[in-house]
Amino acid sequence: MTYPIPAFIVAVCIGIALHDILQRKRAILRNFPIVGHLRYLLESIGPELRQYIVAGNSEERPFSRGQRRWVYASSKQQNNYFAFGSENDQEASPNYTIIKHAAFPLNSPHVGEATYDPTYAIACEKVLGEYSGRRKAFRPASVINISGMSFGALSGAAVEALNRGAARAQCLQNTGEGGLSPHHLHGGDLTYQIGTGYFGCREENGQFSLTRLMELVDANSSVRAIEIKLSQGAKPGAGGVLPKAKLTAEIAGIRGVPLDKDCVSPSRHTAFSDADSLLDFVESIAAATGLPVGIKSAVGQLDFWHDLARLCETTGRQVDFVTIDGGEGGTGAAPLVFADRVGLPFKLGFSQVQRVFAERGLHDRMVFIGSGKLGFPDTALVGFALGADLINVGREALLSAGCIQALKCHTNRCPAGITTQSAWLSRGLDPQLKSERVANYIITLRKELLALARAAGVPHPAQVSARHIEIVNDHFGTQTLAEVLGGRGRGVAVGQEAPAFARQSVVVSRPLAFKRP
């Protein structure tokens, strides 16, 4: 028995075929009418096919399926263990990281013991702004904090989920350079980021306004520190653009920009032009607000860092913290060549900059923060071993809030409602529920960091040195991270024992709250 094809389907196919044959833009369609569309369909769903069908557990980028599974399970407080041993070929993988355990590791408290802490609080070993005598210096209560991601790049619901999660986990959330929004004000403490566009603290002509910054800080006690963003790892030297299509009246009002054109972040600041004027800018903000003030940057040419360290040593002016963002860091959108080829990866960039300061004896005067795919226990521990005092997590926190790595961030069509301003898509993200998952992820990351540090025989992740980390090459050879990258980033020559830097020990078995001055 045969079934006739409806005439309208035949007509549609003929119409599509004629269009494909007559059009000149796409050769595939001219040569293969109708069926050529399958090529574009498969290309459009390629990431999804690779994500769920083709790629193995450790093949995907930027985050493998195994890494995402760990974040998802941790955020939902599910079993985040993996069965049957490692899937990694440890001896044949170049630059494979091994954490060297101690023969007599430290015990980890368990449920029911007096020292057990369900939040696994780990305070920073340093006091932010203490050396410079900032009026509002404080000790960060968590060594894991949330990286700068702006409202505008993220939906309001996503920003709110991150802030509520930060409050639950007692950590800091960085606002990103897009200004301070109502979505940031749900109980979490903040680092306010100032970018090249000075959004939220600018004059109508786009220049920086100290008066507006002071008004913002005075009105929001949750702002605990200020970060001046020089560049970010994903696109250093390129500036940034929030397309007009993603610009809403709310975003434009918060940023202080017109609604009828793209919102542009220039590639450089106008308030200063070199390391000397940068320090003047830092000190003026610190004096006016009383807050610790630091900088964030990717690492390229080192001349700037040598100038900055020299001036910090000799002039009495200094930054209170330095955030180094690796070239592997994330962004909603970047030119491919900038994402792939500009800016040193974290291990190389951080170790070089940290050594510049350590050689002048400045390491203990300021807090060093690492970011760039450090949101997993092993990568975070390497960051601490290189000399970081704090770790910032960005995309990993978004994974915990529901990101599925669809790679649609630049299209305004994020299916998880995170990197979109679509009211329909963002309504699917429940900030209250996702905040619990963000907090669970951060607490679990602290838990496993503590477990790794104790396995190495030390009570705090920042006491792990580069000699605790072994790097395996693909020729059955090994070197310590100290030998590969020149020590813990403290300027200690390979083969020397690190000097006993004066660092205050912090008990980490109990939750530590911020002590407001």
Side-chain angles (χ1 to χ4, degrees):
M1 184 176 181
T2 59
Y3 296 92
I5 300 175
F8 80 92
I9 295 181
V10 174
V12 168
C13 290
I14 291 174
I16 293 174
L18 288 172
H19 170 270
D20 292 346
I21 292 169
L22 296 175
Q23 62 85 34
R24 296 176 178 273
K25 187 176 180 181
R26 294 175 174 175
I28 295 293
L29 294 182
R30 289 194 83 187
N31 295 335
F32 304 95
I34 299 180
V35 296
H37 288 277
L38 292 175
R39 183 261 182 194
Y40 298 103
L41 173 64
L42 292 173
E43 181 182 50
S44 69
I45 62 174
E48 288 82 0
L49 290 175
R50 290 190 295 273
Q51 184 174 31
Y52 295 109
I53 299 174
V54 179
N57 286 340
S58 59
E59 292 177 348
E60 285 184 89
R61 297 293 181 270
F63 299 107
S64 70
R65 183 181 300 158
Q67 289 175 318
R68 297 198 311 275
R69 280 178 56 199
W70 181 84
V71 173
Y72 296 150
S74 299
S75 67
K76 298 173 185 176
Q77 292 188 315
Q78 296 174 348
N79 184 345
N80 64 0
Y81 285 16
F82 288 72
F84 219 59
S86 176
E87 295 184 5
N88 299 327
D89 192 341
Q90 299 178 6
E91 292 179 329
S93 301
N95 299 327
Y96 193 86
T97 301
I98 296 291
I99 299 158
K100 297 193 290 187
H101 67 282
F104 303 100
L106 303 182
N107 288 324
S108 294
H110 294 284
V111 177
E113 296 181 8
T115 56
Y116 174 73
D117 170 21
T119 70
Y120 297 91
I122 320 173
C124 182
E125 285 202 320
K126 297 176 182 174
V127 175
L128 195 60
E130 181 181 47
Y131 182 85
S132 300
R134 309 302 186 201
R135 297 194 307 275
K136 299 179 182 178
F138 70 101
R139 187 189 303 279
S142 174
V143 296
I144 303 296
N145 300 286
I146 299 174
S147 285
M149 295 177 284
S150 301
F151 172 53
L154 302 187
S155 66
V159 172
E160 179 181 340
L162 293 175
N163 189 258
R164 290 183 182 274
R168 289 173 178 270
Q170 294 186 39
C171 73
L172 291 163
Q173 178 192 19
N174 191 304
T175 63
E177 65 176 305
L180 184 64
S181 73
H183 310 291
H184 288 103
L185 303 177
H186 293 275
D189 282 331
L190 301 168
T191 297
Y192 183 78
Q193 188 180 87
I194 301 174
T196 55
Y198 307 116
F199 302 127
C201 55
R202 59 186 262 157
E203 304 288 0
E204 290 185 4
N205 62 4
Q207 299 300 302
F208 172 72
S209 170
L210 181 60
T211 299
R212 295 191 178 184
L213 177 64
M214 292 172 61
E215 291 172 352
L216 182 148
V217 170
D218 289 343
N220 298 279
S221 61
S222 57
V223 175
R224 306 301 311 282
I226 294 174
E227 180 179 79
I228 301 165
K229 176 185 170 183
L230 305 181
S231 61
Q232 68 183 92
K235 47 186 176 183
V241 177
L242 184 67
K244 182 172 63 175
K246 290 186 73 172
L247 199 59
T248 65
E250 182 184 20
I251 295 169
I254 290 167
R255 296 192 177 202
V257 298
L259 186 59
D260 59 348
K261 58 183 179 180
D262 293 343
C263 178
V264 177
S265 298
S267 59
R268 61 177 291 167
H269 282 265
T270 57
F272 53 88
S273 58
D274 54 21
D276 190 36
S277 53
L278 166 63
L279 286 176
D280 286 340
F281 187 64
V282 166
E283 293 295 341
S284 67
I285 291 174
T289 65
L291 297 173
V293 182
I295 61 173
K296 172 184 178 176
S297 181
V299 180
Q301 300 172 23
L302 290 179
D303 294 352
F304 162 76
W305 297 103
H306 285 286
D307 287 345
L308 184 63
R310 174 181 56 81
L311 291 167
C312 288
E313 180 186 23
T314 59
T315 67
R317 300 168 297 162
Q318 76 160 54
V319 294
D320 297 305
F321 61 93
V322 175
T323 303
I324 297 298
D325 197 18
E328 61 272 65
T331 179
L336 181 62
V337 68
F338 277 83
D340 284 348
R341 301 294 178 183
V342 184
L344 287 172
F346 172 77
K347 298 182 189 68
L348 299 175
F350 184 92
S351 61
Q352 290 185 30
V353 169
Q354 203 272 352
R355 177 180 283 274
V356 168
F357 286 91
E359 285 174 344
R360 293 181 176 271
L362 301 174
H363 181 271
D364 288 319
R365 296 185 183 184
M366 56 191 70
V367 170
F368 285 85
I369 306 172
S371 63
K373 293 184 73 173
L374 301 182
F376 302 94
D378 56 326
T379 56
L381 197 72
V382 169
F384 285 113
L386 289 173
D389 301 294
L390 302 174
I391 296 294
N392 283 350
V393 296
R395 288 168 293 177
E396 301 91 332
L398 298 185
L399 289 172
S400 71
C403 169
I404 62 171
Q405 195 170 285
L407 307 182
K408 303 288 187 184
C409 312
H410 61 299
T411 67
N412 202 32
R413 297 195 301 271
C414 170
I418 294 175
T419 58
T420 180
Q421 297 307 315
S422 163
W424 173 259
L425 292 173
S426 60
R427 67 178 288 278
L429 192 157
D430 182 338
Q432 190 69 42
L433 172 62
K434 298 303 184 182
S435 71
E436 296 175 8
R437 295 186 178 180
V438 171
N440 290 339
Y441 156 69
I442 292 171
I443 290 169
T444 302
L445 179 54
R446 293 197 302 234
K447 171 186 176 181
E448 297 205 8
L449 267 174
L450 276 175
L452 286 176
R454 287 163 175 162
V458 297
H460 193 286
Q463 295 174 18
V464 172
S465 79
R467 295 177 180 85
H468 288 104
I469 309 294
E470 197 85 4
I471 306 298
V472 182
N473 62 37
D474 54 357
H475 297 289
F476 299 99
T478 67
Q479 287 181 299
T480 66
L481 188 60
E483 293 169 327
V484 173
L485 295 176
R488 194 188 170 188
R490 296 182 184 276
V492 180
V494 174
Q496 282 187 337
E497 290 299 318
F501 286 92
R503 300 168 69 86
Q504 180 178 346
S505 296
V506 177
V507 178
V508 297
S509 58
R510 296 284 186 186
L512 293 176
F514 287 117
K515 295 181 178 179
R516 300 188 184 276

